[in-house]
Amino acid sequence: MSVRNVFVVGLDEHNRKRLEHLRGAENYQFHGVIEPTEVYDTEIFPIEDMLARAETQLKEFSEPIDAIVGYMDFPVSTMLPLLCERFGTRSTSLESLLKCEHKYWSRLVQREVIAEYIPRFTAFDPFDVQALQHIGEAGLYFPFFVKPIKSSGSRLGFRIESPEDFSYAVARLCEGIGTISEPFNYVLEHANLPDGVRSVDGGHCMAEEIIGGWQCTVEGYVFQGDVVPYGIVDSIRYPQVLSFFSYRYPSRLPSSIQTRMQELTRQVMAHIGYDNAAFNIEYFWDEVQDRIWLLEINTRIAQSHCDLFEKVDGVSHQQVTVDLALGQLPDMPYRQGAFKVAAKFFYRVFFVDATVSKVPSIEEIETLQRAFPGTFIAVQVDVGTRLSSLPEQDSYSFALAYVWMGADDDVALEENYARLAEQLHFEFDDIVG
């Protein structure tokens, strides 16, 4: 078999190593397109310029281009259909992708088939001084949640309990929304949008009824029209706050709830017309009301889950992304990994702001990773880092480190992390509580 050339947007060395462990990787040559620093750890996305430079690089490649893939959220996810269309490689259509990523359009489409599983919602312009009144006229009252039409992680998401909360959130949204709205609007210009969606551009926001419960993510893909959910990961939050504590795989949800979520996933993704690409859907299960809520649809695998699938199933679910882009049915193993359970933990501080004065040394990190086999620790700050400068944070805390661990059961997993966390030492100056 001849070597197949797979271009990866924003490829870094950590993910190159993961990709080289995929099934069939001996027959693939992975190439980076667009430097990882342009899509990691930044909130500036000159998407038109990035697309132009990517196109130039790809046109200069003298061999066949067999696939163009990515494993990240905005701007990578929205760039892929444009690049793939220009070079004749496989991807879902731009319109089907935007029916997931444009949060207002996505809710409209979801309402057509699974209305009882989504919250009340409306779009609003954060620069409109009467925005709060319009939200009330749409039937939404305190408390509710607001976020940009094109959100990225938990950034610029706020729970609104009062007019004062709304004023604070709108000020933050007006200040920061342009970094996403301008590049997202460039993508929207290339799509065939309904009139009711085109008028709600990337500078708008969503207000939604508060939903909650046991949160999880259904990872799935569509291959030649067949929707396949293949794994469910639990998302566990710190008590009483919106910040994530860990992602855990496999899910501990009741099997009947997992089955129902898989059915809803098949129903909504088929209706959207999404095809030949990976996705994931975030859900809540309200245990008290025994009710399932669909939170949002993402048009990629969750990169945070790659190590979890590798630990439990035997290979990163980047396998799905690459196989689909090459026109192959994904060759994803099941429960062939070294661990029964795995998690990504978020080591956080709940300051308003601070400056980092001490971080664990490389030697300390390596010692901890050896003490807990299979563990990988990724420190997210350096000495001198001002926490408020960190990109892609939620509105309530700062993640100082990510810790991926595996174990034979959930009790051992949580105990091992607690022991490790006690030995991760950070110090701070200029703390704003």
Side-chain angles (χ1 to χ4, degrees):
M1 176 184 291
S2 60
V3 172
R4 309 187 77 181
N5 294 299
V6 179
F7 282 81
V8 185
V9 179
L11 178 63
D12 61 7
E13 285 308 306
H14 180 66
N15 280 287
R16 182 185 292 276
K17 292 176 182 177
R18 280 178 174 161
L19 291 166
E20 289 171 349
H21 291 154
L22 299 183
R23 294 181 168 189
E26 65 275 9
N27 299 313
Y28 309 151
Q29 182 68 48
F30 294 103
H31 310 268
V33 57
I34 301 180
E35 289 299 314
T37 53
E38 296 189 61
V39 289
Y40 281 103
D41 299 331
T42 181
E43 295 179 358
I44 306 300
F45 306 114
I47 197 165
E48 184 174 4
D49 177 61
M50 286 193 287
L51 280 166
R53 286 186 286 111
E55 189 168 354
T56 297
Q57 178 186 342
L58 290 164
K59 284 181 177 178
E60 291 174 350
F61 189 68
S62 59
E63 300 174 26
I65 297 172
D66 297 292
I68 306 172
V69 303
Y71 41 75
M72 296 182 62
D73 197 358
F74 188 83
V76 174
S77 57
T78 45
M79 292 168 62
L80 285 172
L82 297 173
L83 282 175
C84 290
E85 181 180 25
R86 293 173 189 179
F87 289 90
T89 59
R90 296 168 187 83
S91 171
T92 194
S93 69
L94 179 59
E95 285 74 19
S96 66
L97 179 138
L98 289 173
K99 287 179 185 178
C100 304
E101 295 219 1
H102 187 298
K103 300 307 177 188
Y104 182 62
W105 194 7
S106 189
R107 286 301 193 204
L108 294 176
V109 174
Q110 293 164 31
R111 190 167 63 186
E112 293 171 356
V113 287
I114 57 167
E116 64 271 34
Y117 298 96
I118 65 172
R120 286 174 293 170
F121 65 94
T122 190
F124 70 94
D125 181 351
F127 296 92
D128 180 358
V129 295
Q130 295 184 309
L132 185 57
Q133 177 182 333
H134 296 325
I135 290 170
E137 291 169 352
L140 281 169
Y141 309 102
F142 302 124
F144 56 86
F145 195 78
V146 299
K147 59 185 176 182
I149 284 291
K150 177 66 196 95
S151 56
S152 179
S154 300
R155 182 173 171 267
L156 294 178
F158 302 90
R159 182 183 172 100
I160 308 300
E161 301 273 359
S162 66
E164 293 75 20
D165 286 348
F166 187 74
S167 295
Y168 171 78
V170 162
R172 293 280 302 277
L173 286 161
C174 289
E175 179 184 4
I177 199 169
T179 58
I180 292 182
S181 66
E182 292 179 15
F184 189 56
N185 284 344
Y186 174 80
V187 175
L188 295 180
E189 291 171 2
H190 291 75
N192 182 18
L193 305 176
D195 291 340
V197 173
R198 184 170 293 281
S199 60
V200 182
D201 68 8
H204 285 71
C205 297
M206 290 283 285
E208 294 193 340
E209 176 186 5
I210 296 292
I211 56 176
W214 186 327
Q215 187 173 353
C216 68
T217 301
V218 176
E219 294 279 0
Y221 64 83
V222 189
F223 178 66
Q224 297 181 1
D226 185 21
V227 182
V228 181
Y230 59 84
I232 301 181
V233 178
D234 291 334
S235 300
I236 302 167
R237 297 181 185 269
Y238 282 84
Q240 308 304 315
V241 294
L242 292 173
S243 304
F244 286 115
F245 171 66
S246 69
Y247 299 146
R248 178 183 60 201
Y249 180 66
S251 173
R252 293 170 61 186
L253 279 165
S255 59
S256 60
I257 300 301
Q258 294 191 43
T259 298
R260 185 63 185 130
M261 288 178 176
Q262 291 167 341
E263 292 170 351
L264 291 170
T265 296
R266 294 185 185 96
Q267 190 173 0
V268 73
M269 296 309 290
H271 180 69
I272 285 171
Y274 196 83
D275 202 5
N276 297 315
F279 68 87
N280 68 69
I281 303 183
E282 299 174 51
Y283 289 98
F284 285 115
W285 174 48
D286 183 330
E287 298 177 66
V288 176
Q289 300 185 55
D290 191 23
R291 182 169 185 176
I292 294 172
W293 297 102
L294 191 155
L295 176 59
E296 65 180 14
I297 306 171
N298 301 300
T299 58
R300 48 163 175 81
I301 63 165
Q303 189 181 172
S304 288
H305 299 165
C306 290
D307 191 72
L308 309 187
F309 280 93
E310 187 166 357
K311 281 178 165 48
V312 175
D313 288 335
V315 71
S316 164
H317 63 329
Q318 288 165 317
Q319 184 79 50
V320 171
T321 297
V322 173
D323 282 344
L324 290 169
L326 290 169
Q328 302 166 176
L329 178 67
D331 184 20
M332 191 69 195
Y334 182 77
R335 304 299 188 261
Q336 296 180 25
F339 301 94
K340 297 289 178 55
V341 297
K344 175 186 179 181
F345 294 96
F346 297 80
Y347 184 94
R348 296 183 182 274
V349 290
F350 292 84
F351 301 148
V352 173
D353 207 353
T355 300
V356 180
S357 58
K358 181 183 183 300
V359 300
S361 67
I362 294 174
E363 293 76 15
E364 289 170 328
I365 294 297
E366 291 176 346
T367 298
L368 282 172
Q369 290 179 160
R370 286 194 298 270
F372 299 92
T375 294
F376 177 72
I377 303 169
V379 175
Q380 301 299 298
V381 296
D382 298 307
V383 172
T385 298
R386 190 67 177 166
L387 295 182
S388 57
S389 71
L390 293 173
E392 297 299 322
Q393 302 294 309
D394 64 40
S395 302
Y396 305 94
S397 68
F398 299 97
L400 304 182
Y402 304 142
V403 181
W404 287 267
M405 305 184 79
D408 288 334
D409 58 58
D410 291 311
V411 173
L413 185 65
E414 293 171 10
E415 290 179 348
N416 288 346
Y417 175 69
R419 289 165 51 208
L420 181 148
E422 289 177 351
Q423 301 174 68
L424 272 179
H425 300 303
F426 294 84
E427 295 179 6
F428 308 90
D429 292 327
D430 306 321
I431 297 174
V432 181

